Amino acid sequence: MRVPLSWLRELVDVPTSADELAERLTMVGIEVAAVRRVTAAAQGPVVAATIMSAVPHPSNPQWRICRVSAGSRGEFQVVTAATNLAVGDRVPLALPGTRLGPDWTIRREEFGGEPSEGMLCSATELIFGIPHLEGEGILQLPHKCPPGTDVVEWFGWSEDVLELDLTPNLAHCFSLLGVAREVAALFGGKVRHPAVARVRDLPAARTEVILEDPEGCPAYVASEMEAVRPVASPPWLMWRLRTVGLRCHNVVVDITNYTMWELGVPLHPFDADRLGDVIRVRRARAGEELLTLDGEVRKLNEEILVIADGSRPVALAGVMGGKDTEVTSQTRRVLLESAYFNPFVVGRGARRLGLWTEAASRFAKGVDPSAQYTAALRAIELLEREKAAVLVSRPRLVGRLAQPHKRLLIRPARVAQLLGIELGKEEVAAALRRQGFQVAEESQERLAVTVPSQRVDLNEEVDLVEEVARVHGYDRIPAHRPVGALVGAFRPEATRLKERVADLLVAAGLQEVVTTSFMPLDVLEALGLPEGHEWWQYVRVMNPGNEGQRALRTSLIPVMARVLTHNVARQQRGVHVFEIGTVFRPAAEDPDALPEERVSVGLLSWGPIGPRRWCQPRINSNFYYLKGVLEELFGRLGVGVRVTRVDHPLYAPGRGAQLLVGEIPIGHVGEWKPEAAQRLGLRGTVATAEVDWGVILAKRRVLERVASPARFPAVFRDLALLVPREVSAAAVAEVLQRAGGEYLEEVELFDLYEGPQVEAGWRSLAFGLRFRAPDRTLTEEEVSDIVERMLVSVRERTGARLRT
Amino acid sequence: MVCLERDIEQLTEEARRLIEEATDLAQLDAIRIQYLGRRGKLTVLLRSLGQQPPEVRPRLGRVANEAKQLLQRLLADKRQMLVKSAKVPTEAYDVTLPGISPLVGRRHPLSLVRRQMEEIFIGLGFEVVEGREVETDFYNFVALNIPKDHPARDMQSSFYLSEEILLRTQTSPVQVRVMRERAPQVPLRIVAPGRVYRRGDDDATHSPVFHQMELLAVDVGLSMAHMKGVLLDFARKMFGPDRKIRLRPSYFPFTEPSAEVDVSCFCDGEGCRLCDGTGWLEILGAGMVHPVVLRNGGYDPEYVSGFAAGLGIERVAMLKYGVDDIRHFYRNDLSFLACFEDMGGGWM
Ligand SMILES: [Zn+2]
């Protein structure tokens, strides 16, 4: 909403500067986003000039050669095609160098051999910088504007305009009148209501109005006007439209727009000769169409309220008029509509049609439901004053307008309690009176407040409480810490555990990332996941803003792959990251059920681990690195996880594993298939893992008691075994563990060898063993016996033998 | 007796040889334990003196004690010798070489800021709760006093999954969900951090996915002054002890009165680029819980009142760390992420 200061000053005294006013309005909730200087399009020397002579152009009868005098600026010759000129007229002359628009600069030119030292301009050209309207001639200046005067300056075509950024509750501020009321409250002034036409003794209107949908349109005012002259608007009106950012059409349309801006009530003029004698306000029927003013054919349905004549829709009620009944330069009779339309009905229609016109957005926010008759009279006043039309019958009001005021109750004690300020009954009453409301004592506890119906946002006590707070000033509310019962303010266990998992992964050397919740389907494709894989079973977004927002993520790995490619492109050598985030699965069967949300832990690791060091070689990330991170994580959280080989479509054959708790799969870890990496332009091994965090939450062991440190020394033994290739390390370790008995504390694989030193089909696994008894120091002999037993067992069960 | 005396001599001799041959302190210690420890050879022998005939005991005792003292002296001498002869490394380190850095990751800046915000509010008595990201139209809008076709629905455009299901556009749906669980208990004080989604602009200050933190308190006698007190505490803990806050009237359908809350800029009101010359930074929206919302949550607005606030976590992070583009948080450029440390403790 734009508020030109000169216009505002017509309606109320503004005893301050534009910047100060902006600040004050902002502090009462009417946010002024900017104070803008609006100027006429014409920049440069445009001077008043008198036409001394005008003779036809010798080679083009459409043109005339004028000699003009611009006082002290001199005399000039101008070639013009304008027809509304006579000797003695005072007109604006744009001298060479004047810019009317970005690509429109006036130059000395020759027309058919005759020099032209400038251009005589129309108001549209000077104010808007666009070619003159149909039928609009050169702007005729009054003779009190002396020759040589700077025309733009003389008209004052440059002023400050407040740009309001309004919240939807402030519907009343979508009009100059509403803003004027706020300004009056701020500075203690009085609002000057604009003049309206007096209803003269005229015959009743002939047009019949039928309100078929009284909920959608409870009140309709129809005014019949004749002797219509839809010429270009006078300069003052054009300038006003320029300052609020509207275009100009003709004086009839322009005045209805002007009235809307001034009073906040949208009006619509029809060409009465193109309209039947009946106006029906009804819902559109399925299949009906309307060519609207913007040249679009709109398909209508029962949700959309229309104005129809006897046979067809002629306008979208409260949204936009139809092309066929538009007021054009040919129009001679006008039917002026001033109606109240239901905010929800207009809002729904505008949303369906995607057509948020100035009128529609005002109706949807709420227009003063009592002001339609007055608004019609205001427009009639202006139309008659500008000799644009004459009212020929009494405006017809059909339906019922709201009362201009409504009565609300407020308890001053409630105000004080909600705001936390000591405010007495008198202070509350005074604050409301400053808003221009009438206040009376209803009872000991209550005040009765009469508010104008334009304030569609005020309907109950709490609305008035806010009004008092606004007037009193939010800055006068003190800051107190609440006093009350202590409650246990904690992070719930689930939230705490998420933090713990993140912190453990950080301690393991990974960087946390935060990615979008939308699934990059192109990445999913590139990763080579086959159709039907569960990652493709995603929740669809009905109205994505772009291609990338069609699906919700089912896994963190595709979005994390994006993080990898981004960082590789940014020359990172190693990327080791994790994310803890929500993944989504469609709800089973029931389409109305909410999709399943699960928290997932994703890990991705690529490239050398850690920085280059002068004293140590680096290793590259791989399956075992991420597996190690997971083992550390699960170990710390006390989740017993088993790892088994699995064929996962993302992972290279033999390089993927499944994580199991009991028999329940809870995630996977593996190295990507080389083609997946290649399709994303990546080299080297990419290892990823994903774990369902819910299982961690459910299966973690809560530490209950801790054993005292061991009292007796341990005995260590190393064991190098030759093991057939097909026997897994875990299987050997398990046999050792079992055979070791109660004194075996730890079995740790510390070396692995395959190669020329051992025979083909075998590998060497070296285990470190730790033995300890709780009550004494074990003797060498005891330990040797145990190791012997372990060797026998491991030989029998796995075929392994001691490496010599 | 002679026999025992010889044993002592032999033991002493044996120990003396071992002490002589010892090359480091660990060996020396082992020898001490072997002979003089609680179960050491000489100790055991000394203990057995009690069984000897009384007439020989004094002499044997003297011999044994002398042996013990001798060994102790030898051990001490040898120890001193070993310590003295410890080799001085011949080659000096280049102490300017980089140390061996441990491999430790980092949290994402949004996590750091969220955690700090949570901790501030926990300290003020608010409990952390989490809500769903996919919500029903009812909890996201209707229950919050935003019926269908309400003009406020155009303030934020939503991603719909079906007619009635959408990605939440704000963390506020948590309000009614929690109220319905707890009503009519008071006090209720919660913070609910989480992801929210808005369709539309994707630019330096808008992201279709971002994070909010919802604040809600319901109790008997809560006022806007209390809201201001809590938010002032937050602003000072988050941005520094000298910060001021400013409330401006605003509009949210689920609060009334509603306020836009600004915190004084780091430039102390001088005006700078960050605050666009105003001296104030917009950080959050807040207000007194609307009676309709209290009723929807199962509370009677005649008896209790409440306040609520919604904070943008990215917004706080951007202001706190001077980040100029919200998209940086979601691109996860490792060099960008590496800049962040939890240094917020300064004012805690
Ligand atoms: Zn600043």
Side-chain angles (χ1 to χ4, degrees), chain A residues 76-91:
Chain A
F76 303 92
Q77 172 172 306
V78 186
V79 178
T80 177
T83 54
N84 70 327
L85 292 178
V87 170
D89 282 356
R90 186 81 31 94
V91 291

mmCIF file with all atom_site columns, all heavy atoms in Angstrom, chain A residues 76-91:
data_model
loop_
_atom_site.group_PDB
_atom_site.id
_atom_site.type_symbol
_atom_site.label_atom_id
_atom_site.label_alt_id
_atom_site.label_comp_id
_atom_site.label_asym_id
_atom_site.label_entity_id
_atom_site.label_seq_id
_atom_site.pdbx_PDB_ins_code
_atom_site.Cartn_x
_atom_site.Cartn_y
_atom_site.Cartn_z
_atom_site.occupancy
_atom_site.B_iso_or_equiv
_atom_site.pdbx_formal_charge
_atom_site.auth_seq_id
_atom_site.auth_comp_id
_atom_site.auth_asym_id
_atom_site.auth_atom_id
_atom_site.pdbx_PDB_model_num
ATOM 1   N N   . PHE A 1 76 ? 10.725 28.923 -30.136 1.00 0.00 ? 76 PHE A N   1
ATOM 2   C CA  . PHE A 1 76 ? 11.124 27.671 -30.780 1.00 0.00 ? 76 PHE A CA  1
ATOM 3   C C   . PHE A 1 76 ? 10.138 27.298 -31.858 1.00 0.00 ? 76 PHE A C   1
ATOM 4   O O   . PHE A 1 76 ? 8.969  27.689 -31.815 1.00 0.00 ? 76 PHE A O   1
ATOM 5   C CB  . PHE A 1 76 ? 11.178 26.533 -29.747 1.00 0.00 ? 76 PHE A CB  1
ATOM 6   C CG  . PHE A 1 76 ? 12.102 26.829 -28.597 1.00 0.00 ? 76 PHE A CG  1
ATOM 7   C CD1 . PHE A 1 76 ? 11.621 27.443 -27.433 1.00 0.00 ? 76 PHE A CD1 1
ATOM 8   C CD2 . PHE A 1 76 ? 13.455 26.508 -28.673 1.00 0.00 ? 76 PHE A CD2 1
ATOM 9   C CE1 . PHE A 1 76 ? 12.456 27.720 -26.369 1.00 0.00 ? 76 PHE A CE1 1
ATOM 10  C CE2 . PHE A 1 76 ? 14.302 26.792 -27.605 1.00 0.00 ? 76 PHE A CE2 1
ATOM 11  C CZ  . PHE A 1 76 ? 13.807 27.394 -26.448 1.00 0.00 ? 76 PHE A CZ  1
ATOM 12  N N   . GLN A 1 77 ? 10.615 26.479 -32.800 1.00 0.00 ? 77 GLN A N   1
ATOM 13  C CA  . GLN A 1 77 ? 9.718  25.894 -33.798 1.00 0.00 ? 77 GLN A CA  1
ATOM 14  C C   . GLN A 1 77 ? 9.550  24.420 -33.489 1.00 0.00 ? 77 GLN A C   1
ATOM 15  O O   . GLN A 1 77 ? 10.526 23.707 -33.270 1.00 0.00 ? 77 GLN A O   1
ATOM 16  C CB  . GLN A 1 77 ? 10.282 26.061 -35.207 1.00 0.00 ? 77 GLN A CB  1
ATOM 17  C CG  . GLN A 1 77 ? 9.459  25.286 -36.231 1.00 0.00 ? 77 GLN A CG  1
ATOM 18  C CD  . GLN A 1 77 ? 9.877  25.599 -37.654 1.00 0.00 ? 77 GLN A CD  1
ATOM 19  O OE1 . GLN A 1 77 ? 9.910  26.775 -38.057 1.00 0.00 ? 77 GLN A OE1 1
ATOM 20  N NE2 . GLN A 1 77 ? 10.217 24.570 -38.393 1.00 0.00 ? 77 GLN A NE2 1
ATOM 21  N N   . VAL A 1 78 ? 8.276  23.989 -33.464 1.00 0.00 ? 78 VAL A N   1
ATOM 22  C CA  . VAL A 1 78 ? 7.999  22.596 -33.135 1.00 0.00 ? 78 VAL A CA  1
ATOM 23  C C   . VAL A 1 78 ? 7.030  22.025 -34.157 1.00 0.00 ? 78 VAL A C   1
ATOM 24  O O   . VAL A 1 78 ? 6.052  22.683 -34.515 1.00 0.00 ? 78 VAL A O   1
ATOM 25  C CB  . VAL A 1 78 ? 7.365  22.471 -31.734 1.00 0.00 ? 78 VAL A CB  1
ATOM 26  C CG1 . VAL A 1 78 ? 7.214  21.011 -31.345 1.00 0.00 ? 78 VAL A CG1 1
ATOM 27  C CG2 . VAL A 1 78 ? 8.165  23.221 -30.703 1.00 0.00 ? 78 VAL A CG2 1
ATOM 28  N N   . VAL A 1 79 ? 7.312  20.806 -34.626 1.00 0.00 ? 79 VAL A N   1
ATOM 29  C CA  . VAL A 1 79 ? 6.373  20.111 -35.503 1.00 0.00 ? 79 VAL A CA  1
ATOM 30  C C   . VAL A 1 79 ? 5.547  19.173 -34.633 1.00 0.00 ? 79 VAL A C   1
ATOM 31  O O   . VAL A 1 79 ? 6.102  18.431 -33.823 1.00 0.00 ? 79 VAL A O   1
ATOM 32  C CB  . VAL A 1 79 ? 7.121  19.305 -36.589 1.00 0.00 ? 79 VAL A CB  1
ATOM 33  C CG1 . VAL A 1 79 ? 6.134  18.545 -37.468 1.00 0.00 ? 79 VAL A CG1 1
ATOM 34  C CG2 . VAL A 1 79 ? 7.987  20.245 -37.420 1.00 0.00 ? 79 VAL A CG2 1
ATOM 35  N N   . THR A 1 80 ? 4.233  19.233 -34.777 1.00 0.00 ? 80 THR A N   1
ATOM 36  C CA  . THR A 1 80 ? 3.394  18.386 -33.926 1.00 0.00 ? 80 THR A CA  1
ATOM 37  C C   . THR A 1 80 ? 2.258  17.768 -34.732 1.00 0.00 ? 80 THR A C   1
ATOM 38  O O   . THR A 1 80 ? 1.801  18.340 -35.723 1.00 0.00 ? 80 THR A O   1
ATOM 39  C CB  . THR A 1 80 ? 2.823  19.184 -32.735 1.00 0.00 ? 80 THR A CB  1
ATOM 40  O OG1 . THR A 1 80 ? 1.970  18.323 -31.980 1.00 0.00 ? 80 THR A OG1 1
ATOM 41  C CG2 . THR A 1 80 ? 2.023  20.394 -33.204 1.00 0.00 ? 80 THR A CG2 1
ATOM 42  N N   . ALA A 1 81 ? 1.800  16.597 -34.277 1.00 0.00 ? 81 ALA A N   1
ATOM 43  C CA  . ALA A 1 81 ? 0.659  15.938 -34.910 1.00 0.00 ? 81 ALA A CA  1
ATOM 44  C C   . ALA A 1 81 ? -0.612 16.179 -34.118 1.00 0.00 ? 81 ALA A C   1
ATOM 45  O O   . ALA A 1 81 ? -1.677 15.701 -34.471 1.00 0.00 ? 81 ALA A O   1
ATOM 46  C CB  . ALA A 1 81 ? 0.933  14.440 -35.029 1.00 0.00 ? 81 ALA A CB  1
ATOM 47  N N   . ALA A 1 82 ? -0.480 16.923 -33.007 1.00 0.00 ? 82 ALA A N   1
ATOM 48  C CA  . ALA A 1 82 ? -1.644 17.122 -32.145 1.00 0.00 ? 82 ALA A CA  1
ATOM 49  C C   . ALA A 1 82 ? -2.692 17.979 -32.832 1.00 0.00 ? 82 ALA A C   1
ATOM 50  O O   . ALA A 1 82 ? -2.375 18.829 -33.657 1.00 0.00 ? 82 ALA A O   1
ATOM 51  C CB  . ALA A 1 82 ? -1.201 17.783 -30.840 1.00 0.00 ? 82 ALA A CB  1
ATOM 52  N N   . THR A 1 83 ? -3.958 17.732 -32.467 1.00 0.00 ? 83 THR A N   1
ATOM 53  C CA  . THR A 1 83 ? -5.044 18.467 -33.115 1.00 0.00 ? 83 THR A CA  1
ATOM 54  C C   . THR A 1 83 ? -5.702 19.467 -32.171 1.00 0.00 ? 83 THR A C   1
ATOM 55  O O   . THR A 1 83 ? -6.422 20.347 -32.604 1.00 0.00 ? 83 THR A O   1
ATOM 56  C CB  . THR A 1 83 ? -6.113 17.483 -33.614 1.00 0.00 ? 83 THR A CB  1
ATOM 57  O OG1 . THR A 1 83 ? -6.503 16.665 -32.510 1.00 0.00 ? 83 THR A OG1 1
ATOM 58  C CG2 . THR A 1 83 ? -5.574 16.614 -34.732 1.00 0.00 ? 83 THR A CG2 1
ATOM 59  N N   . ASN A 1 84 ? -5.466 19.318 -30.861 1.00 0.00 ? 84 ASN A N   1
ATOM 60  C CA  . ASN A 1 84 ? -6.190 20.178 -29.915 1.00 0.00 ? 84 ASN A CA  1
ATOM 61  C C   . ASN A 1 84 ? -5.449 21.477 -29.635 1.00 0.00 ? 84 ASN A C   1
ATOM 62  O O   . ASN A 1 84 ? -5.358 21.908 -28.493 1.00 0.00 ? 84 ASN A O   1
ATOM 63  C CB  . ASN A 1 84 ? -6.452 19.416 -28.609 1.00 0.00 ? 84 ASN A CB  1
ATOM 64  C CG  . ASN A 1 84 ? -5.172 19.171 -27.824 1.00 0.00 ? 84 ASN A CG  1
ATOM 65  O OD1 . ASN A 1 84 ? -4.102 18.991 -28.412 1.00 0.00 ? 84 ASN A OD1 1
ATOM 66  N ND2 . ASN A 1 84 ? -5.279 19.176 -26.508 1.00 0.00 ? 84 ASN A ND2 1
ATOM 67  N N   . LEU A 1 85 ? -4.886 22.085 -30.658 1.00 0.00 ? 85 LEU A N   1
ATOM 68  C CA  . LEU A 1 85 ? -4.076 23.272 -30.424 1.00 0.00 ? 85 LEU A CA  1
ATOM 69  C C   . LEU A 1 85 ? -4.637 24.483 -31.163 1.00 0.00 ? 85 LEU A C   1
ATOM 70  O O   . LEU A 1 85 ? -5.120 24.369 -32.287 1.00 0.00 ? 85 LEU A O   1
ATOM 71  C CB  . LEU A 1 85 ? -2.646 23.031 -30.912 1.00 0.00 ? 85 LEU A CB  1
ATOM 72  C CG  . LEU A 1 85 ? -1.846 22.009 -30.110 1.00 0.00 ? 85 LEU A CG  1
ATOM 73  C CD1 . LEU A 1 85 ? -0.472 21.829 -30.732 1.00 0.00 ? 85 LEU A CD1 1
ATOM 74  C CD2 . LEU A 1 85 ? -1.730 22.460 -28.662 1.00 0.00 ? 85 LEU A CD2 1
ATOM 75  N N   . ALA A 1 86 ? -4.533 25.640 -30.497 1.00 0.00 ? 86 ALA A N   1
ATOM 76  C CA  . ALA A 1 86 ? -4.925 26.881 -31.150 1.00 0.00 ? 86 ALA A CA  1
ATOM 77  C C   . ALA A 1 86 ? -3.939 27.955 -30.746 1.00 0.00 ? 86 ALA A C   1
ATOM 78  O O   . ALA A 1 86 ? -3.282 27.836 -29.698 1.00 0.00 ? 86 ALA A O   1
ATOM 79  C CB  . ALA A 1 86 ? -6.340 27.289 -30.717 1.00 0.00 ? 86 ALA A CB  1
ATOM 80  N N   . VAL A 1 87 ? -3.834 28.962 -31.541 1.00 0.00 ? 87 VAL A N   1
ATOM 81  C CA  . VAL A 1 87 ? -2.917 30.058 -31.214 1.00 0.00 ? 87 VAL A CA  1
ATOM 82  C C   . VAL A 1 87 ? -3.349 30.659 -29.889 1.00 0.00 ? 87 VAL A C   1
ATOM 83  O O   . VAL A 1 87 ? -4.536 30.827 -29.627 1.00 0.00 ? 87 VAL A O   1
ATOM 84  C CB  . VAL A 1 87 ? -2.933 31.106 -32.349 1.00 0.00 ? 87 VAL A CB  1
ATOM 85  C CG1 . VAL A 1 87 ? -2.166 32.373 -31.925 1.00 0.00 ? 87 VAL A CG1 1
ATOM 86  C CG2 . VAL A 1 87 ? -2.327 30.516 -33.615 1.00 0.00 ? 87 VAL A CG2 1
ATOM 87  N N   . GLY A 1 88 ? -2.373 30.902 -29.029 1.00 0.00 ? 88 GLY A N   1
ATOM 88  C CA  . GLY A 1 88 ? -2.680 31.464 -27.714 1.00 0.00 ? 88 GLY A CA  1
ATOM 89  C C   . GLY A 1 88 ? -2.704 30.418 -26.613 1.00 0.00 ? 88 GLY A C   1
ATOM 90  O O   . GLY A 1 88 ? -2.649 30.756 -25.436 1.00 0.00 ? 88 GLY A O   1
ATOM 91  N N   . ASP A 1 89 ? -2.773 29.135 -26.977 1.00 0.00 ? 89 ASP A N   1
ATOM 92  C CA  . ASP A 1 89 ? -2.777 28.087 -25.946 1.00 0.00 ? 89 ASP A CA  1
ATOM 93  C C   . ASP A 1 89 ? -1.450 28.066 -25.194 1.00 0.00 ? 89 ASP A C   1
ATOM 94  O O   . ASP A 1 89 ? -0.396 28.325 -25.767 1.00 0.00 ? 89 ASP A O   1
ATOM 95  C CB  . ASP A 1 89 ? -2.980 26.703 -26.587 1.00 0.00 ? 89 ASP A CB  1
ATOM 96  C CG  . ASP A 1 89 ? -4.440 26.468 -26.959 1.00 0.00 ? 89 ASP A CG  1
ATOM 97  O OD1 . ASP A 1 89 ? -5.276 27.339 -26.648 1.00 0.00 ? 89 ASP A OD1 1
ATOM 98  O OD2 . ASP A 1 89 ? -4.721 25.405 -27.560 1.00 0.00 ? 89 ASP A OD2 1
ATOM 99  N N   . ARG A 1 90 ? -1.561 27.709 -23.930 1.00 0.00 ? 90 ARG A N   1
ATOM 100 C CA  . ARG A 1 90 ? -0.340 27.529 -23.129 1.00 0.00 ? 90 ARG A CA  1
ATOM 101 C C   . ARG A 1 90 ? -0.114 26.022 -22.998 1.00 0.00 ? 90 ARG A C   1
ATOM 102 O O   . ARG A 1 90 ? -1.007 25.298 -22.543 1.00 0.00 ? 90 ARG A O   1
ATOM 103 C CB  . ARG A 1 90 ? -0.550 28.177 -21.757 1.00 0.00 ? 90 ARG A CB  1
ATOM 104 C CG  . ARG A 1 90 ? 0.610  28.237 -20.824 1.00 0.00 ? 90 ARG A CG  1
ATOM 105 C CD  . ARG A 1 90 ? 1.630  29.371 -21.064 1.00 0.00 ? 90 ARG A CD  1
ATOM 106 N NE  . ARG A 1 90 ? 1.151  30.621 -21.620 1.00 0.00 ? 90 ARG A NE  1
ATOM 107 C CZ  . ARG A 1 90 ? 0.785  31.699 -20.903 1.00 0.00 ? 90 ARG A CZ  1
ATOM 108 N NH1 . ARG A 1 90 ? 0.816  31.691 -19.602 1.00 0.00 ? 90 ARG A NH1 1
ATOM 109 N NH2 . ARG A 1 90 ? 0.412  32.794 -21.500 1.00 0.00 ? 90 ARG A NH2 1
ATOM 110 N N   . VAL A 1 91 ? 1.044  25.548 -23.411 1.00 0.00 ? 91 VAL A N   1
ATOM 111 C CA  . VAL A 1 91 ? 1.291  24.093 -23.453 1.00 0.00 ? 91 VAL A CA  1
ATOM 112 C C   . VAL A 1 91 ? 2.681  23.769 -22.929 1.00 0.00 ? 91 VAL A C   1
ATOM 113 O O   . VAL A 1 91 ? 3.548  24.634 -22.893 1.00 0.00 ? 91 VAL A O   1
ATOM 114 C CB  . VAL A 1 91 ? 1.177  23.555 -24.907 1.00 0.00 ? 91 VAL A CB  1
ATOM 115 C CG1 . VAL A 1 91 ? -0.262 23.602 -25.388 1.00 0.00 ? 91 VAL A CG1 1
ATOM 116 C CG2 . VAL A 1 91 ? 2.094  24.325 -25.837 1.00 0.00 ? 91 VAL A CG2 1
#
